[in-house]
Structure formats: structure tokens, C-alpha cells
Amino acid sequence: MKAILFGPFGNIYGRDKRSPFVTEGYVDINPSDAQELGVNDGDYVWIDADPEDRPFRGWQKDKKNYAFARLLCRARYYPGTPRGVTRMWFNMYGATPGSQQGQQERKDGLAKNPRTNYQAMFRSGSHQSATRGWLKPTWMTDSLVRKGMFGQEMGKGFAADIHCPTGAPRESFIKITKAEPGGIGDEPLWRPTKLGIRPRNESDAMKRYLAGDFINKK
């Protein structure tokens, strides 16, 4: 599942102690947008939304909780993302005070709570650090007429995933700031980028592969 959702760019052997897990939360960004921001493929970035209430109300006076609530993640080049738009999976386990403590204290760098073993996929923050959940009052009335999930059937009242509060996170305006280079130690580039297997940084071998040159033609 992790390979399907997050790609074959994990930290299986734990060489990068900054990575919170064998894989981690990330944001897809158009390469041109990232380059204008000085962000290389695989760099860590801060993602900040409306300071009025994100990542939570009153964060300006609560630096302790702000430290684990502010969103920090890798940025991945994705040419399929329109310019001016980023994308992040919403179902990746967010950071907590305990997971951040584990990430800072453990020799392997895993963001795992030392008391509960909860494992986060972010060093700090989560998708919800930048988004809000909205409740639609008209979807909370038992008398509301609504369509069925499949077909053209009409019904009334509660139906799972149709007639219920919609708390799923949606869109948000954000600001992206480079936090750290993607590489380990003195190496500035994230390893997949350095290997030439990522967009805008393709090696000659990758370009040949994309062009179909590895296929025998008769």
C-alpha cells in the first residue's frame, strides 16, 4: 500500500534520520513553481496557511504546541500538478507531542511515541495543519431529501457518506518556504533526484527509458 500511495522512495534502511518513518508525508508541487521558490525535488518545506487559526487558534502564544503542529514535509516534483496548486494525501498520520519526542530522542529517528507506540508520518504537523473541516447544517437534518449513493433513488434522512457532517479537509491557501535540503549531511540533493530518476532531473538512462529505447524493436 505504501508503495502505491507514496512511491518507491522510502527510507527502508533508516539512513536519513530526519525521515519520521520508512515512508513519510509529502506535498506534490509543480516543478516550475518549486524552482521559483528555490525548492529542489525532495527538499523539506514549511507549509503555512491562514495565521488567524492555522495550525490552531492562539499559536502565536503557544510555541510549545506550535512546534509539533506546524507542517513540515518533503516537496516532490509532480508535473501533473497545475501551476499554483499543490496536493497532499489527507490520510497520513499526523505528528503529536509524543511522536515528535520520539523522533528527537530515538537513535533511528522514528517519529514514534515512546509511551503509546503511535507512529507518525510527519516530523511535525499534518495535512490538517493547513486545512479546515466544514460542517454543512443542512446535511444534519433527518427530514432532508437526498439522493441515494447509487442510481437515481431518492430518499430522506441519514445515509452513510451522503447525509452526514462533512468533516473531510478541503482546499486552503498556503505559503511554502524551504526548510532544509533534501540530501543527507553535506549532500544537497535527495537521493532519487541525484540518481536522475525524478522529473526535471532525468539522467540520460532515464530519458532513454522514457523514450522507449530499452524496448527491442524488430
Side-chain angles (χ1 to χ4, degrees), residues 54 90 127-128 131-136 139-140 161 163-171:
R54 299 290 89 192
F90 68 88
H127 181 277
Q128 281 70 44
T131 58
R132 299 181 180 92
W134 299 99
L135 299 181
K136 298 182 180 180
W139 282 22
M140 300 170 65
D161 294 330
H163 179 276
C164 55
T166 54
R170 303 297 182 183
E171 296 81 13

Side-chain angles (χ1 to χ4, degrees), residues 69-116:
R70 188 185 184 194
L71 176 52
L72 175 67
C73 65
R74 282 196 193 272
R76 291 191 187 183
Y77 284 10
Y78 182 48
T81 304
R83 294 210 60 178
V85 176
T86 61
R87 181 184 69 170
M88 174 179 281
W89 294 93
F90 68 88
N91 56 349
M92 294 183 280
Y93 298 110
T96 67
S99 71
Q100 191 173 69
Q101 177 187 351
Q103 207 272 336
Q104 293 170 348
E105 295 178 353
R106 292 174 61 103
K107 292 182 179 180
D108 57 14
L110 289 180
K112 180 178 288 190
N113 188 309
R115 293 168 293 280
T116 66

Side-chain angles (χ1 to χ4, degrees), residues 206-217:
M206 176 58 73
K207 291 177 181 178
R208 289 180 55 209
Y209 169 77
L210 294 173
D213 291 345
F214 290 175
I215 300 174
N216 292 326
K217 300 177 182 179

